Amino acid sequence: MSIIDTIELYRVRLPLVYPFGTAYGTDHAVEPVVVCLRCGDDSGWAESQPFRLPTYCPEYSAGVFRLLRDVLAPAIVGRQISSGAALQKHLAGFKGNPFAKGGLDMAWWDLHARRNGLPLWQALGGKSPVVEVGADFGIMDTIDALLERIGEALDAGFKRIKLKYAPGWDLDMVTAVREAFPRAVFHIDCNSAYTLDDIDMFRRLDRLGLAMIEQPLAHDDLVDHATLQKQLRTPICLDESITSPARARKAIEIGACGWVNIKPVRMGGHTPALEVHDLCRDAGVPCWIGGMVESGLGGLHCLAMATLANVKYPSDIFPSRRFFTDDLVVPDIELSGPSQMTTPDSPGIGRVPDPERLDRLTVEKAVLTQ
Ligand code: MG
């Protein structure tokens, strides 16, 4: 690979078509940081999408932009980067901050795949361009409204439904859902809203036949999750807690989870995410791919990762219109069948951001050259 001669960073504000409510609060817009690596006439694109505020994890959009601009991108620009591992090595001296590192890593993979004329899913070692995706529902105004939306999703053929779960939108909600749809596949995402003091509530949940309970306890915990898992039949899925291959290995070793949610950007990009995928596969722990309410740019990266063999549950990757009126990529990301999406077969992720939309939606931009 030739030298990375330019790195462009764009902090973008994308309004949501409707507010998205989780245990972390309600968001009306997302603020991804778009990263572009240029190498001669070639370019690689990705998106780092922490939340606007440090509620999901310690990183947040404006902070990621600044760290990339002031520290991480200067460590990469002007260098010849021949592999994802080489890129990670240049960033390894800087502790933590996987979302910021992930933007650079994933843009490098897109660039690498394009320069080799390969779709990203093939460059990552995927098995088939067709992946299963699920339906998700955040906290809504009423349980009746939720039941109606779930009915529509099941009628549309979605193979599983994920429900955001938080104090005040909890057992009564899941009980009503289970009664209304006794055979459907559901799981809940607690977004770290609970503690071991809630064991009675988890025991009652354990009787509702959920596919998994996602991130029930603190965002940075492993040990309490292992304690909880020993008392439940329902598998725990770790999301926020798995920020690196080392954390995944430790979680598996102590029995903290039966599933791992891989968000490549949360782990520092495709390079560490591939390591986590392989480590889980070797340990017999299945994975699926999560999302951070990305634009289609981030969604296409997740879609490529979802083609890997140990992804065994429908992933959280959504059509553009689910969240956005104007997605960053054109044309929109769409389902290719019921509960199904297909990764583009053109090189890299198969799309680049639409220049007019990127320009109009950017609130902060930086260009670094060698
Ligand atoms: Mg989650």
Side-chain angles (χ1 to χ4, degrees), residues 24 56 136 162 164 187-192 214-215 237-240 261 263 266 288 290-292 316:
Y24 297 129
Y56 171 90
D136 276 38
K162 164 167 158 173
K164 289 294 186 183
H187 88 268
I188 58 166
D189 185 0
C190 305
N191 285 123
S192 71
E214 186 178 339
Q215 197 69 35
C237 171
L238 286 180
D239 173 356
E240 283 89 330
N261 172 316
K263 291 175 180 165
R266 186 192 67 234
W288 56 286
M292 294 294 300
D316 271 350

Side-chain angles (χ1 to χ4, degrees), residues 185-308:
V185 178
F186 291 101
H187 88 268
I188 58 166
D189 185 0
C190 305
N191 285 123
S192 71
Y194 297 92
T195 71
L196 288 176
D197 290 342
D198 298 301
I199 185 65
D200 289 342
M201 183 272 294
F202 286 116
R203 287 209 175 99
R204 289 164 71 189
L205 268 177
D206 209 19
R207 296 197 282 265
L208 293 173
L210 296 170
M212 64 188 82
I213 298 174
E214 186 178 339
Q215 197 69 35
L217 309 179
H219 75 98
D220 56 355
D221 170 74
L222 296 178
V223 174
D224 285 356
H225 281 99
T227 302
L228 180 62
Q229 183 66 89
K230 286 185 184 72
Q231 300 174 70
L232 300 179
R233 279 175 306 159
T234 311
I236 288 174
C237 171
L238 286 180
D239 173 356
E240 283 89 330
S241 289
I242 308 297
T243 49
S244 67
R247 299 266 298 166
R249 175 182 62 76
K250 290 171 188 176
I252 291 168
E253 272 181 22
I254 64 170
C257 61
W259 286 87
V260 168
N261 172 316
I262 293 180
K263 291 175 180 165
V265 74
R266 186 192 67 234
M267 296 174 176
H270 290 310
T271 307
L274 282 170
E275 258 187 83
V276 170
H277 170 273
D278 292 356
L279 189 149
C280 288
R281 178 198 60 205
D282 295 348
V285 173
C287 301
W288 56 286
I289 308 302
M292 294 294 300
V293 194
E294 290 92 351
S295 79
L297 178 60
L300 286 164
H301 277 276
C302 291
L303 202 54
M305 185 58 68
T307 65
L308 298 176

